[in-house]
Amino acid sequence: MPVLPQIAERIDELTAIRRDLHAHPELGFQEYRTSAVVQDLLTRYGVDQVHTGMGATGVVGVIRGKGKGPRRVGLRADMDALPIQEATNLPFASRTEGVMHACGHDAHTTMLLGAARYLAETRNFAGTAVLIFQPAEEGLGGARRMMGDGLFNRFPCDEVFGMHNNPNGIPGLVKIKPGVAMAGACFFDIVVRGVGSHAAMPEEGRDSIMIASALVGGLHSIVSRNIPPTKSAVLSVTRFNAGNAYNVLPDTATIAGTVRYFNEEVRELIECRIKDICAGLANMHNVDIDVDIRNVFDVLVNDADLSNAYLAAAAEIVGADNIRVSDDLVTGSEDFADMLKAIPGAYCTLGHGGTIPVHNPGYVFDDAILPVGASIMARIVEKRLQI
Ligand SMILES: [Zn+2]
Ligand SMILES: [Zn+2]
């Protein structure tokens, strides 16, 4: 693979950075150490400006090219880890109990640092590269929070590009799905407020477990009975908590879960149905049911032209045989979608030699791909901001 030579020769350095971040994972909005490492390295690399504290722990670096030009390209990496107990037995495994870089964001951060060093040294572009290290991708809304703190007002971008590693065993395979690519997501919490009673005298209460059980069945009917079969959506109940004794019917039961969708009408319909079903059951059993539904990620939409440009840049690094235009929708979500809603751009996946899926306690990232990811990110800046 014709990885940019100045980046290829730094594979040991990149691997060391990645493994250090891996050993010290931090959950969303708590990436204090990670953020400090990023700031320190960007400063040492001679990046023109380094701004911190955006979206709590986010960092933004700015590099101006040799050539003058008004255009600005953003590159984004995420920095947070997951609440998972690592089970890899690697020498650089997580040193923090119950927290693990199981989605490879340690690698994304490292690849963007690799691109930053190269871009700061070579500056073979006309305009400005904006390096966005964002916190809290895993469901906590780090992208939104950075934008809420004025990310694109303070550091305007004409285009933004992001990347995610894909442990599919095919090193260097780059894929993009142009257009609608990944699902938007809502999280919901429901509290059934029944009336507790002795388990032997249910007639004296209103059984929250029975009502919540019926509610789970009702919620699972929404996608199959209300969404047109030609449209996709997922509703999963992921949590059901109630009771703690053999002889007590608890007064409350709580349910939580997620909805994934690919268009706004479907999202609105599902939200309405969740509320209607809860209201109907509440009425039927003469109880209160509280519903809280929150949109957490937008639908990820890749700009068609910029998807092609990103693949063309990647082809220069991984070869034309290793790029793919995908037409598979992904029901997973990604909060870079929120940035892509504000600024046109594209998001690709980069295959590597790992074979255990992300979010698994045994997930292992393949460090050999670090220079490839860094080179693709650097190259898209040079191509989009050609001198
Ligand atoms: Zn993840
Ligand atoms: Zn991820």
Side-chain angles (χ1 to χ4, degrees):
M1 268 177 237
V3 172
L4 298 174
Q6 299 97 315
I7 294 179
E9 70 191 21
R10 299 218 175 99
I11 182 156
D12 292 345
E13 179 186 317
L14 292 172
T15 301
I17 294 169
R18 208 285 292 182
R19 293 183 177 185
D20 171 67
L21 295 176
H22 191 84
H24 301 95
E26 296 169 300
L27 295 173
F29 295 125
Q30 297 169 33
E31 305 94 336
Y32 303 109
R33 182 184 182 278
T34 311
S35 178
V37 168
V38 169
Q39 288 167 47
D40 176 50
L41 289 174
L42 290 179
T43 307
R44 281 206 259 155
Y45 296 162
V47 165
D48 296 316
Q49 298 170 32
V50 181
H51 299 267
T52 61
M54 180 160 286
T57 47
V59 184
V60 178
V62 178
I63 305 172
R64 273 180 284 279
K66 267 183 208 159
K68 291 225 180 320
R71 288 179 35 77
R72 301 143 305 193
V73 168
L75 300 174
R76 171 273 200 179
D78 40 17
M79 303 191 292
D80 56 322
L82 286 158
I84 291 176
Q85 178 64 40
E86 181 159 354
T88 61
N89 289 321
L90 289 166
F92 53 88
S94 171
R95 294 183 196 165
T96 307
E97 189 78 10
V99 183
M100 176 188 179
H101 268 299
C103 204
H105 298 184
D106 48 346
H108 304 161
T109 299
T110 305
M111 291 190 281
L112 186 50
L113 285 167
R117 180 162 184 185
Y118 168 87
L119 290 170
E121 279 172 6
T122 54
R123 300 184 187 249
N124 286 324
F125 57 96
T128 307
V130 178
L131 317 165
I132 303 164
F133 295 84
Q134 81 146 76
E137 189 282 330
E138 298 284 2
L140 296 173
R144 276 183 200 184
R145 188 119 150 229
M146 280 190 99
M147 290 193 290
D149 282 354
L151 173 64
F152 292 126
N153 299 326
R154 290 178 63 189
F155 308 102
C157 293
D158 298 295
E159 307 168 358
V160 283
F161 296 91
M163 177 183 288
H164 205 291
N165 78 94
N166 185 5
N168 56 5
I170 309 175
L173 184 73
V174 176
K175 286 203 282 188
I176 300 182
K177 159 85 174 64
V180 172
M182 295 180 76
C186 300
F187 291 164
F188 60 82
D189 286 281
I190 298 172
V191 183
V192 176
R193 301 190 186 281
V195 176
S197 69
H198 195 296
M201 296 162 227
E203 76 281 6
E204 293 187 350
R206 292 187 202 109
D207 182 1
S208 63
I209 290 183
M210 184 200 67
I211 299 165
S213 301
L215 184 51
V216 171
L219 295 174
H220 282 152
S221 75
I222 296 174
V223 172
S224 76
R225 300 297 90 177
N226 300 123
I227 305 300
T230 50
K231 295 188 173 154
S232 320
V234 184
L235 184 154
S236 288
V237 173
T238 56
R239 215 157 53 196
F240 189 127
N241 295 324
N244 53 17
Y246 288 103
N247 59 353
V248 178
L249 290 173
D251 55 359
T252 59
T254 59
I255 294 171
T258 185
V259 174
R260 304 297 163 110
Y261 61 94
F262 293 97
N263 78 52
E264 282 300 309
E265 277 171 36
V266 168
R267 178 179 71 78
E268 282 166 24
L269 177 59
I270 293 176
E271 282 196 27
C272 281
R273 288 300 297 145
I274 291 174
K275 288 176 186 163
D276 286 351
I277 288 169
C278 288
L281 268 172
N283 192 29
M284 182 174 166
H285 294 286
N286 193 22
V287 296
D288 286 329
I289 300 180
D290 303 338
V291 186
D292 177 32
I293 309 175
R294 305 173 301 283
N295 173 259
V296 287
F297 296 124
D298 283 312
V299 176
L300 188 140
V301 183
N302 285 317
D303 180 90
D305 291 341
L306 295 176
S307 296
N308 288 335
Y310 204 10
L311 283 172
E316 293 185 14
I317 309 299
V318 298
D321 291 346
N322 279 319
I323 58 166
R324 300 272 189 286
V325 176
S326 166
D327 46 27
D328 295 332
L329 288 171
V330 174
T331 53
S333 298
E334 160 60 58
D335 95 343
F336 185 52
D338 296 341
M339 292 192 189
L340 287 178
K341 196 171 185 188
I343 310 284
Y347 177 77
C348 72
T349 60
L350 172 63
H352 62 81
T355 53
I356 297 170
V358 295
H359 292 216
N360 181 299
Y363 163 82
V364 176
F365 177 80
D366 170 13
D367 287 309
I369 210 72
L370 288 169
V372 178
S375 295
I376 294 171
M377 297 206 105
R379 197 74 189 107
I380 187 68
V381 170
E382 292 177 339
K383 300 249 310 174
R384 298 301 298 168
L385 300 177
Q386 246 166 36
I387 294 183

